Amino acid sequence: MVASTHWLASAVGLSMLERGGNAFDAAVAAGFTLQVVEPHLNGPGGEVPMLIRVAPGDEITVVAGQGAAPAAATAEHFAGLGLDLVPGTGHLAACVPGAFDAWLTVLHRFGTMSLPDVLAPAIGYARQGYPVLPSISRTIGAVEQLFTEHWPTSAAVYLSDGAVPAPGSRLRNPQLADTYARIVVAAEGRSRDAGIDAARAAFYRGFVAEAIDSFVRTPAMDTTGTPHAGVLTAADLAAWQTPLEPPATFDFGAYRLAKTGPWGQGPVLLQQLALLAGFDLADTGPADPALVHTVIECAKLAFADREAFYGDVADVPLDALLSGAYNDERRRLVTGDASSELRPGSPDGRTARLPAPVTGEDAAGVGEPTRGIEPQVDSRGLTRGDTCHIDVIDRFGNMVSATPSGGWLQSSPVIPELGFGLGTRAQMFWLESGLPNSLAPGKRPRTTLSPSLALRDGEPYMAFGTPGGDQQDQWQVPFFLFHTVFGMNLQQAIDAPTWHSTHPPSSFYPRASMPRGMEAEARLGAATIGELRRRGHDVTEVDGWSLGRLSAVTRSPDGFLRAAANARGAQGYAVGR
C-alpha cells in the first residue's frame, strides 16, 4: 500500500513494489518524485523526517532528516544585520539540505534497489514535464513579481514561457533533471552500496555543494525587503550525516504512538493524547462541540509547552511532560470556556520561559489567520502551511511514514546550475538567547514536520501524517480519535470535518498568534460552531473540504493492508494490490 499527497508519487511508489522492491525503495522513489511534482511544497534543498519499521520486529526508528544550522549562523551575525527574527525566505534562512541524505540513508540501510532505479521516475517527470496543480499555479502567481524583479533564476524555471503556468499545463525543470542525471552517472558502474555513497558525495562534497556555496554568497531578496547573502557553505554540507534515533512514544489505550524527539514538534501530539486520556471521549461524538472544545483546549496547553521546552537540546523534560501526574494537574486547567492565555506548565518543577512577543514591523500580519487550502503564499514568498506526506507498507510488513518539506519554489531563488532553491527552516529558530530553540551553529530548528507510526496491541499497525505546518499535530488528533475511539475506517476518519486552533504562536515568520482563534470546516455544522462561539472561541469558518491532507496505511494481524488518502485538494491518492 502507498498513500501520499500526490497521485503520481503514489503510483511511482507502487511501481517499485510491483518490480520487487520493498517499502523503503517505494518511499524513496515517491519522495524524489514529490520534489518534482509538488515543487511549491518540497524540494531537494529541503528536509524529511521519517519514522520507519523494519519487519519483522516491532522497533520503530526515527530517520532525522532535518538539516542543521550552518557554522556561521549565529545570533550575533543576524544582530549585525539589524535583524531580530530569521527571515522567512531567501538565503539567510537556509539550513543544510537534509532530504537527499535522509532518502539515501534509507535506501542504503534498508532498501534493495539501486539509486538509478529509484531516481528514474523523478528524472522523467522533471525532463518531460508534469501537470501543473492549481495550487502550483496560485503559488507562482503570488510570487510572479518577486521572480521577475528579484529572483530571475526562478523566473527562468517557473515563468519560462513568460507567464504563470495555467492549471493542467505541462511544467518542466530540465536543470533539475540534469542535476539528478549527473548524480546517477556518479553512481553508475559501481556496486549498489558504492553507487549510493558516490551519489551522496556528489551532493554533499561535490558539484551540488560547490554550486550552493557559490550561489548563496550573492545577496538575495527576502521577507525583510532587503537582499542578504547566506551563510551556508560547502563545509556545512560535507559535515552532515543523517542521524537515526529512537522515537518518543506514548500509550493511548491499545495503541502506542511514536513520534520524533522534541527537537521537532512531534511529541506535542503525544502530549495532547496524554491530556485527552483523562476525558471520557466515548460519551461525545465526532461533531460534538464538547469534543471539539476539549481537543482545542488540550492543544493550547500542549503547544504552550512546545513553545517553552522543545528544541534541539539535551535537557527537554519529555518524560515529565508525558507523565500521568503532570497531565492530571494540567487537565484541571480545561474548563467549559475558551482560554485566551498561553499557559506552559512546570514539568519537574522547572520555570517556563516563553520567547518575547513579536512586536513592531515584524508583527505585520499578526492576527490574520490562514484560511482554506494550503499553502497560503504572499507576494514576498512568505508561506503558511506547507509540505507533502508519504505512507508505505509492503508485503513484508515494513512501514514508512515520511513528511518531506522545504526548498519550496517560493522559499529561495533557484540555483541555476541545479534547478532548485534552498530551504528556509532556520526561520523557526529564535534569535533571543537562552531558549531551547535559540539559534546555534550545528543545531536543528524545531521543525513542524511530524510523521507518525502506531502500534496496536504491541504489533506495528499504522503509518499516517499530513502536511500543514503547525497544524500537522492538530489535524492528526481528530483523525486518530475518529479511527481509534469512534470506530471510523481510515477514509471516514480522514473525510470527517475537522478543525484546528490558531491560538499558539506560529513557527513561521513572523510568528503570528490568534488568542482564542480557531478554524473549522463549515461541514462541522452551524449548531456545533455556534456552541463553540458561545464558549468563547473565535471561530473562522472555512470551506468544508479545506483543512489537512492526511493519508494513512494500516496492517492488520490477519495480513490485510488498507490505505486512505485525502479528497481535499483533489490530488492525494492511495493505491495498493
Side-chain angles (χ1 to χ4, degrees):
M1 287 288 177
V2 184
S4 84
T5 49
H6 197 291
W7 70 92
L8 289 176
S10 297
V12 164
L14 186 65
S15 75
M16 298 296 140
L17 297 174
E18 290 179 326
R19 292 169 56 187
N22 63 20
F24 309 111
D25 301 314
V28 173
F32 282 126
T33 298
L34 284 174
Q35 292 179 356
V36 176
V37 302
E38 287 195 310
H40 60 316
L41 301 174
N42 81 135
E47 50 274 333
V48 56
M50 296 181 245
L51 278 78
I52 64 170
R53 179 258 181 155
V54 182
D58 60 2
E59 182 179 352
I60 295 172
T61 299
V62 176
V63 181
Q66 171 58 63
T74 64
E76 292 75 18
H77 178 76
F78 283 87
L81 297 173
L83 302 176
D84 55 11
L85 285 178
V86 178
T89 62
H91 293 332
L92 273 176
C95 290
V96 174
F100 190 81
D101 191 67
W103 288 126
L104 263 62
T105 297
V106 168
L107 184 67
H108 186 211
R109 292 283 299 272
F110 310 109
T112 64
M113 302 180 79
S114 71
L115 183 67
D117 285 338
V118 298
L119 262 178
I123 293 172
Y125 288 121
R127 195 171 304 285
Q128 299 170 25
Y130 57 92
V132 172
L133 298 167
S135 54
I136 294 177
S137 184
R138 287 197 305 269
T139 298
I140 296 174
V143 292
E144 180 181 12
Q145 185 175 357
L146 175 67
F147 283 8
T148 55
E149 294 184 0
H150 301 290
W151 295 1
T153 56
S154 295
V157 175
Y158 295 107
L159 300 169
S160 58
D161 293 330
V164 175
S169 62
R170 185 186 296 264
L171 186 60
R172 298 177 175 87
N173 189 339
Q175 294 93 338
L176 179 56
D178 290 344
T179 295
Y180 278 149
R182 188 171 171 183
I183 289 172
V184 164
V185 169
E188 289 177 335
R190 306 170 187 264
S191 69
R192 176 184 175 276
D193 289 353
I196 294 172
D197 288 340
R200 183 184 281 118
F203 195 102
Y204 289 92
R205 297 187 296 279
F207 78 97
V208 174
E210 292 167 2
I212 290 172
D213 185 306
S214 174
F215 187 70
V216 301
R217 295 170 187 265
T218 300
M221 181 62 69
D222 58 40
T223 49
T224 67
T226 300
H228 292 104
V231 295
L232 184 65
T233 67
D236 294 315
L237 273 77
W240 177 250
Q241 187 172 4
T242 304
L244 300 181
E245 303 173 347
T249 62
F250 180 77
D251 292 344
F252 184 84
Y255 298 86
R256 172 166 290 181
L257 268 290
K259 302 290 290 186
T260 69
W263 53 266
Q265 79 168 19
V268 80
L269 186 150
L270 307 181
Q271 282 197 250
Q272 291 172 85
L273 293 179
L275 289 163
L276 290 166
F279 293 95
D280 191 358
L281 302 178
D283 278 352
T284 65
D288 189 326
L291 174 73
V292 180
H293 170 79
T294 301
V295 170
I296 287 285
E297 293 304 297
C298 289
K300 292 178 184 178
L301 295 173
F303 276 82
D305 282 343
R306 181 196 74 167
E307 290 301 296
F309 301 111
Y310 286 24
D312 191 14
V313 293
D315 62 343
V316 178
L318 189 58
D319 289 343
L321 290 168
L322 296 175
S323 68
Y326 178 76
N327 284 283
D328 288 344
E329 177 187 346
R330 297 281 280 162
R331 201 175 294 117
R332 289 195 286 270
L333 296 175
V334 177
T335 69
D337 296 322
S339 171
S340 60
E341 299 177 81
L342 189 65
R343 298 178 290 179
S346 300
D348 285 340
R350 300 190 187 197
T351 299
R353 178 185 163 192
L354 292 169
V358 176
T359 58
E361 292 183 4
D362 284 326
V366 172
E368 299 173 6
T370 61
R371 295 183 175 89
I373 293 290
E374 295 189 333
Q376 301 292 313
V377 180
D378 72 11
S379 60
R380 300 170 294 170
L382 184 61
T383 300
R384 288 180 174 82
D386 64 301
T387 314
C388 316
H389 189 76
I390 307 163
D391 299 304
V392 187
I393 299 182
D394 65 19
R395 62 194 181 280
F396 308 111
N398 296 310
M399 303 172 69
V400 181
S401 176
T403 309
S405 187
W408 317 304
L409 66 88
Q410 67 274 18
S411 69
S412 186
V414 166
I415 301 164
E417 302 96 323
L418 303 179
F420 65 85
L422 297 171
T424 53
R425 197 62 57 175
Q427 68 180 289
M428 297 186 171
F429 285 118
W430 290 102
L431 297 180
E432 180 182 348
S433 65
L435 299 168
N437 190 38
S438 295
L439 175 66
K443 191 175 180 180
R444 292 171 293 184
R446 191 204 66 203
T447 180
T448 56
L449 305 176
S450 195
S452 300
L453 279 183
L455 280 66
R456 185 173 67 180
D457 296 324
E459 296 294 325
Y461 173 63
M462 180 165 62
F464 63 103
T466 180
D470 294 276
Q471 283 73 49
Q472 290 177 39
D473 284 308
Q474 293 199 61
W475 293 330
Q476 292 184 62
V477 171
F479 160 78
F480 185 74
L481 297 178
F482 294 162
H483 181 58
T484 63
V485 176
F486 300 111
M488 293 184 180
N489 66 35
L490 295 179
Q491 196 63 58
Q492 290 170 329
I494 287 173
D495 288 350
T498 195
W499 62 84
H500 68 261
S501 173
T502 55
H503 178 95
S506 170
S507 296
F508 295 87
Y509 179 97
R511 306 293 185 137
S513 168
M514 285 284 293
R516 294 186 297 104
M518 66 170 290
E519 294 188 1
E521 290 182 322
R523 292 183 296 129
L524 198 59
T528 295
I529 291 172
E531 173 60 17
L532 292 168
R533 286 174 172 152
R534 190 194 68 76
R535 291 175 180 239
H537 297 281
D538 185 2
V539 184
T540 298
E541 282 188 64
V542 297
D543 180 87
W545 293 88
S546 60
L547 299 182
R549 288 201 292 145
L550 277 147
S551 63
V553 294
T554 61
R555 185 176 192 267
S556 301
D558 58 11
F560 279 118
L561 307 182
R562 295 174 174 85
N566 211 305
R568 297 165 178 88
Q571 66 188 66
Y573 196 65
V575 60
R577 54 168 293 188

